[in-house]
Amino acid sequence: MTIHLVDIEQVTHTCPAFADPHPFDIRRTPVHVIPGGPCRAPVTVRCGAQTAQIPCHRHEPTKRQCGACRVIVTERTITTRTLTEEVAA
């Protein structure tokens, strides 16, 4: 399985429409990628007389993908900043 490690930074604010603070800017920065390796269950696709084998992640839903093709996203850090009223106005 391929593991993506990301840092998340979100900026929150309050506005007249929604009194509760809510994020309006979310940025995800990839930090590290651990590759899962080659596909262990390639799928044969046919079009007319042509056949080709493609990795299962290009054809199958997540539940039916092999372990090498599955993707997991892990958050390393989540930083939340709040805009002050002077800056938001």
Side-chain angles (χ1 to χ4, degrees), residues 40-89:
R40 290 180 237 149
V43 178
T44 302
V45 179
R46 292 175 186 83
C47 182
Q50 297 289 327
T51 61
Q53 282 196 336
I54 60 172
C56 64
H57 74 273
R58 292 183 55 199
H59 188 270
E60 300 293 331
T62 305
K63 291 181 180 180
R64 294 195 316 228
Q65 291 176 3
C66 72
C69 287
R70 286 200 188 114
V71 174
I72 293 179
V73 178
T74 305
E75 295 96 6
R76 184 176 74 164
T77 60
I78 300 174
T79 306
T80 302
R81 293 186 303 128
T82 304
L83 287 180
T84 60
E85 291 183 24
E86 296 82 29
V87 175

Side-chain angles (χ1 to χ4, degrees), residues 4-69:
H4 294 267
L5 190 63
V6 297
D7 286 342
I8 298 176
E9 181 182 355
Q10 56 187 4
V11 180
T12 62
H13 76 140
T14 55
C15 57
F18 301 103
D20 295 332
H22 55 277
F24 74 95
D25 184 18
I26 300 174
R27 296 172 190 234
R28 293 170 183 88
T29 307
V31 178
H32 187 66
V33 176
I34 302 168
C39 179
R40 290 180 237 149
V43 178
T44 302
V45 179
R46 292 175 186 83
C47 182
Q50 297 289 327
T51 61
Q53 282 196 336
I54 60 172
C56 64
H57 74 273
R58 292 183 55 199
H59 188 270
E60 300 293 331
T62 305
K63 291 181 180 180
R64 294 195 316 228
Q65 291 176 3
C66 72
C69 287

